[in-house]
mmCIF file with all atom_site columns, all heavy atoms in Angstrom:
data_model
loop_
_atom_site.group_PDB
_atom_site.id
_atom_site.type_symbol
_atom_site.label_atom_id
_atom_site.label_alt_id
_atom_site.label_comp_id
_atom_site.label_asym_id
_atom_site.label_entity_id
_atom_site.label_seq_id
_atom_site.pdbx_PDB_ins_code
_atom_site.Cartn_x
_atom_site.Cartn_y
_atom_site.Cartn_z
_atom_site.occupancy
_atom_site.B_iso_or_equiv
_atom_site.pdbx_formal_charge
_atom_site.auth_seq_id
_atom_site.auth_comp_id
_atom_site.auth_asym_id
_atom_site.auth_atom_id
_atom_site.pdbx_PDB_model_num
ATOM 1   N N   . HIS A 1 10 ? -11.080 10.975 85.770 1.00 83.00 ? 25 HIS A N   1
ATOM 2   C CA  . HIS A 1 10 ? -10.655 12.197 86.429 1.00 83.00 ? 25 HIS A CA  1
ATOM 3   C C   . HIS A 1 10 ? -11.451 13.421 85.970 1.00 83.00 ? 25 HIS A C   1
ATOM 4   O O   . HIS A 1 10 ? -11.798 14.284 86.761 1.00 83.00 ? 25 HIS A O   1
ATOM 5   C CB  . HIS A 1 10 ? -9.146  12.436 86.233 1.00 83.00 ? 25 HIS A CB  1
ATOM 6   C CG  . HIS A 1 10 ? -8.273  11.408 86.855 1.00 83.00 ? 25 HIS A CG  1
ATOM 7   N ND1 . HIS A 1 10 ? -8.165  11.157 88.131 1.00 83.00 ? 25 HIS A ND1 1
ATOM 8   C CD2 . HIS A 1 10 ? -7.457  10.498 86.214 1.00 83.00 ? 25 HIS A CD2 1
ATOM 9   C CE1 . HIS A 1 10 ? -7.366  10.191 88.436 1.00 83.00 ? 25 HIS A CE1 1
ATOM 10  N NE2 . HIS A 1 10 ? -6.909  9.713  87.229 1.00 83.00 ? 25 HIS A NE2 1
ATOM 11  N N   . MET A 1 11 ? -11.780 13.446 84.707 1.00 81.00 ? 26 MET A N   1
ATOM 12  C CA  . MET A 1 11 ? -12.590 14.522 84.129 1.00 81.00 ? 26 MET A CA  1
ATOM 13  C C   . MET A 1 11 ? -14.014 14.486 84.717 1.00 81.00 ? 26 MET A C   1
ATOM 14  O O   . MET A 1 11 ? -14.613 15.502 85.071 1.00 81.00 ? 26 MET A O   1
ATOM 15  C CB  . MET A 1 11 ? -12.679 14.421 82.661 1.00 81.00 ? 26 MET A CB  1
ATOM 16  C CG  . MET A 1 11 ? -11.404 14.812 81.992 1.00 81.00 ? 26 MET A CG  1
ATOM 17  S SD  . MET A 1 11 ? -10.931 16.526 82.220 1.00 81.00 ? 26 MET A SD  1
ATOM 18  C CE  . MET A 1 11 ? -12.175 17.312 81.210 1.00 81.00 ? 26 MET A CE  1
ATOM 19  N N   . ARG A 1 12 ? -14.571 13.282 84.898 1.00 83.00 ? 27 ARG A N   1
ATOM 20  C CA  . ARG A 1 12 ? -15.849 13.140 85.502 1.00 83.00 ? 27 ARG A CA  1
ATOM 21  C C   . ARG A 1 12 ? -15.847 13.549 86.937 1.00 83.00 ? 27 ARG A C   1
ATOM 22  O O   . ARG A 1 12 ? -16.837 14.164 87.406 1.00 83.00 ? 27 ARG A O   1
ATOM 23  C CB  . ARG A 1 12 ? -16.384 11.683 85.398 1.00 83.00 ? 27 ARG A CB  1
ATOM 24  C CG  . ARG A 1 12 ? -17.236 11.430 84.195 1.00 83.00 ? 27 ARG A CG  1
ATOM 25  C CD  . ARG A 1 12 ? -17.891 10.116 84.318 1.00 83.00 ? 27 ARG A CD  1
ATOM 26  N NE  . ARG A 1 12 ? -16.740 9.141  84.384 1.00 83.00 ? 27 ARG A NE  1
ATOM 27  C CZ  . ARG A 1 12 ? -16.894 7.804  84.366 1.00 83.00 ? 27 ARG A CZ  1
ATOM 28  N NH1 . ARG A 1 12 ? -18.073 7.336  84.424 1.00 83.00 ? 27 ARG A NH1 1
ATOM 29  N NH2 . ARG A 1 12 ? -15.904 7.064  84.416 1.00 83.00 ? 27 ARG A NH2 1
ATOM 30  N N   . LEU A 1 13 ? -14.794 13.244 87.665 1.00 87.00 ? 28 LEU A N   1
ATOM 31  C CA  . LEU A 1 13 ? -14.677 13.640 89.064 1.00 87.00 ? 28 LEU A CA  1
ATOM 32  C C   . LEU A 1 13 ? -14.606 15.156 89.186 1.00 87.00 ? 28 LEU A C   1
ATOM 33  O O   . LEU A 1 13 ? -15.255 15.717 90.061 1.00 87.00 ? 28 LEU A O   1
ATOM 34  C CB  . LEU A 1 13 ? -13.421 13.010 89.695 1.00 87.00 ? 28 LEU A CB  1
ATOM 35  C CG  . LEU A 1 13 ? -13.118 13.285 91.149 1.00 87.00 ? 28 LEU A CG  1
ATOM 36  C CD1 . LEU A 1 13 ? -14.272 12.760 91.999 1.00 87.00 ? 28 LEU A CD1 1
ATOM 37  C CD2 . LEU A 1 13 ? -11.795 12.757 91.538 1.00 87.00 ? 28 LEU A CD2 1
ATOM 38  N N   . ILE A 1 14 ? -13.887 15.828 88.272 1.00 86.00 ? 29 ILE A N   1
ATOM 39  C CA  . ILE A 1 14 ? -13.825 17.307 88.307 1.00 86.00 ? 29 ILE A CA  1
ATOM 40  C C   . ILE A 1 14 ? -15.099 17.877 87.992 1.00 86.00 ? 29 ILE A C   1
ATOM 41  O O   . ILE A 1 14 ? -15.557 18.853 88.680 1.00 86.00 ? 29 ILE A O   1
ATOM 42  C CB  . ILE A 1 14 ? -12.714 17.722 87.345 1.00 86.00 ? 29 ILE A CB  1
ATOM 43  C CG1 . ILE A 1 14 ? -11.352 17.359 87.849 1.00 86.00 ? 29 ILE A CG1 1
ATOM 44  C CG2 . ILE A 1 14 ? -12.735 19.291 87.062 1.00 86.00 ? 29 ILE A CG2 1
ATOM 45  C CD1 . ILE A 1 14 ? -10.193 17.619 86.824 1.00 86.00 ? 29 ILE A CD1 1
ATOM 46  N N   . LEU A 1 15 ? -15.806 17.414 86.962 1.00 85.00 ? 30 LEU A N   1
ATOM 47  C CA  . LEU A 1 15 ? -17.132 17.954 86.639 1.00 85.00 ? 30 LEU A CA  1
ATOM 48  C C   . LEU A 1 15 ? -18.122 17.671 87.714 1.00 85.00 ? 30 LEU A C   1
ATOM 49  O O   . LEU A 1 15 ? -18.979 18.599 88.011 1.00 85.00 ? 30 LEU A O   1
ATOM 50  C CB  . LEU A 1 15 ? -17.607 17.375 85.324 1.00 85.00 ? 30 LEU A CB  1
ATOM 51  C CG  . LEU A 1 15 ? -16.897 17.995 84.088 1.00 85.00 ? 30 LEU A CG  1
ATOM 52  C CD1 . LEU A 1 15 ? -17.409 17.266 82.804 1.00 85.00 ? 30 LEU A CD1 1
ATOM 53  C CD2 . LEU A 1 15 ? -17.160 19.448 83.994 1.00 85.00 ? 30 LEU A CD2 1
ATOM 54  N N   . ASP A 1 16 ? -18.101 16.550 88.304 1.00 88.00 ? 31 ASP A N   1
ATOM 55  C CA  . ASP A 1 16 ? -19.066 16.262 89.433 1.00 88.00 ? 31 ASP A CA  1
ATOM 56  C C   . ASP A 1 16 ? -18.806 17.185 90.616 1.00 88.00 ? 31 ASP A C   1
ATOM 57  O O   . ASP A 1 16 ? -19.738 17.715 91.205 1.00 88.00 ? 31 ASP A O   1
ATOM 58  C CB  . ASP A 1 16 ? -18.954 14.823 89.851 1.00 88.00 ? 31 ASP A CB  1
ATOM 59  C CG  . ASP A 1 16 ? -19.522 13.831 88.931 1.00 88.00 ? 31 ASP A CG  1
ATOM 60  O OD1 . ASP A 1 16 ? -20.334 14.269 88.080 1.00 88.00 ? 31 ASP A OD1 1
ATOM 61  O OD2 . ASP A 1 16 ? -19.157 12.625 89.049 1.00 88.00 ? 31 ASP A OD2 1
ATOM 62  N N   . THR A 1 17 ? -17.529 17.487 90.917 1.00 91.00 ? 32 THR A N   1
ATOM 63  C CA  . THR A 1 17 ? -17.206 18.426 91.889 1.00 91.00 ? 32 THR A CA  1
ATOM 64  C C   . THR A 1 17 ? -17.683 19.819 91.643 1.00 91.00 ? 32 THR A C   1
ATOM 65  O O   . THR A 1 17 ? -18.268 20.505 92.514 1.00 91.00 ? 32 THR A O   1
ATOM 66  C CB  . THR A 1 17 ? -15.638 18.369 92.199 1.00 91.00 ? 32 THR A CB  1
ATOM 67  O OG1 . THR A 1 17 ? -15.246 17.096 92.408 1.00 91.00 ? 32 THR A OG1 1
ATOM 68  C CG2 . THR A 1 17 ? -15.299 19.297 93.363 1.00 91.00 ? 32 THR A CG2 1
ATOM 69  N N   . VAL A 1 18 ? -17.533 20.248 90.398 1.00 89.00 ? 33 VAL A N   1
ATOM 70  C CA  . VAL A 1 18 ? -17.941 21.595 89.983 1.00 89.00 ? 33 VAL A CA  1
ATOM 71  C C   . VAL A 1 18 ? -19.447 21.701 90.083 1.00 89.00 ? 33 VAL A C   1
ATOM 72  O O   . VAL A 1 18 ? -19.986 22.692 90.648 1.00 89.00 ? 33 VAL A O   1
ATOM 73  C CB  . VAL A 1 18 ? -17.508 21.894 88.539 1.00 89.00 ? 33 VAL A CB  1
ATOM 74  C CG1 . VAL A 1 18 ? -18.189 23.154 88.030 1.00 89.00 ? 33 VAL A CG1 1
ATOM 75  C CG2 . VAL A 1 18 ? -15.992 22.077 88.536 1.00 89.00 ? 33 VAL A CG2 1
ATOM 76  N N   . PHE A 1 19 ? -20.172 20.695 89.691 1.00 89.00 ? 34 PHE A N   1
ATOM 77  C CA  . PHE A 1 19 ? -21.709 20.728 89.772 1.00 89.00 ? 34 PHE A CA  1
ATOM 78  C C   . PHE A 1 19 ? -22.164 20.682 91.235 1.00 89.00 ? 34 PHE A C   1
ATOM 79  O O   . PHE A 1 19 ? -23.183 21.234 91.614 1.00 89.00 ? 34 PHE A O   1
ATOM 80  C CB  . PHE A 1 19 ? -22.278 19.595 89.008 1.00 89.00 ? 34 PHE A CB  1
ATOM 81  C CG  . PHE A 1 19 ? -22.219 19.824 87.513 1.00 89.00 ? 34 PHE A CG  1
ATOM 82  C CD1 . PHE A 1 19 ? -21.753 18.824 86.684 1.00 89.00 ? 34 PHE A CD1 1
ATOM 83  C CD2 . PHE A 1 19 ? -22.609 21.027 86.928 1.00 89.00 ? 34 PHE A CD2 1
ATOM 84  C CE1 . PHE A 1 19 ? -21.722 19.054 85.291 1.00 89.00 ? 34 PHE A CE1 1
ATOM 85  C CE2 . PHE A 1 19 ? -22.542 21.248 85.597 1.00 89.00 ? 34 PHE A CE2 1
ATOM 86  C CZ  . PHE A 1 19 ? -22.102 20.259 84.736 1.00 89.00 ? 34 PHE A CZ  1
ATOM 87  N N   . ASN A 1 20 ? -21.361 20.018 92.149 1.00 93.00 ? 35 ASN A N   1
ATOM 88  C CA  . ASN A 1 20 ? -21.799 19.908 93.484 1.00 93.00 ? 35 ASN A CA  1
ATOM 89  C C   . ASN A 1 20 ? -21.493 21.218 94.336 1.00 93.00 ? 35 ASN A C   1
ATOM 90  O O   . ASN A 1 20 ? -22.145 21.473 95.272 1.00 93.00 ? 35 ASN A O   1
ATOM 91  C CB  . ASN A 1 20 ? -21.024 18.752 94.234 1.00 93.00 ? 35 ASN A CB  1
ATOM 92  C CG  . ASN A 1 20 ? -21.621 17.426 93.776 1.00 93.00 ? 35 ASN A CG  1
ATOM 93  O OD1 . ASN A 1 20 ? -22.733 17.316 93.429 1.00 93.00 ? 35 ASN A OD1 1
ATOM 94  N ND2 . ASN A 1 20 ? -20.742 16.389 93.858 1.00 93.00 ? 35 ASN A ND2 1
ATOM 95  N N   . ILE A 1 21 ? -20.541 22.018 93.856 1.00 93.00 ? 36 ILE A N   1
ATOM 96  C CA  . ILE A 1 21 ? -20.258 23.246 94.613 1.00 93.00 ? 36 ILE A CA  1
ATOM 97  C C   . ILE A 1 21 ? -20.936 24.459 93.961 1.00 93.00 ? 36 ILE A C   1
ATOM 98  O O   . ILE A 1 21 ? -20.880 25.564 94.554 1.00 93.00 ? 36 ILE A O   1
ATOM 99  C CB  . ILE A 1 21 ? -18.712 23.531 94.656 1.00 93.00 ? 36 ILE A CB  1
ATOM 100 C CG1 . ILE A 1 21 ? -18.164 23.777 93.249 1.00 93.00 ? 36 ILE A CG1 1
ATOM 101 C CG2 . ILE A 1 21 ? -18.032 22.448 95.399 1.00 93.00 ? 36 ILE A CG2 1
ATOM 102 C CD1 . ILE A 1 21 ? -16.793 24.317 93.304 1.00 93.00 ? 36 ILE A CD1 1
#
Side-chain angles (χ1 to χ4, degrees):
H25 298 294
M26 289 294 289
R27 265 190 301 184
L28 181 64
I29 290 171
L30 284 176
D31 288 342
T32 305
V33 168
F34 287 129
N35 286 335
I36 64 169

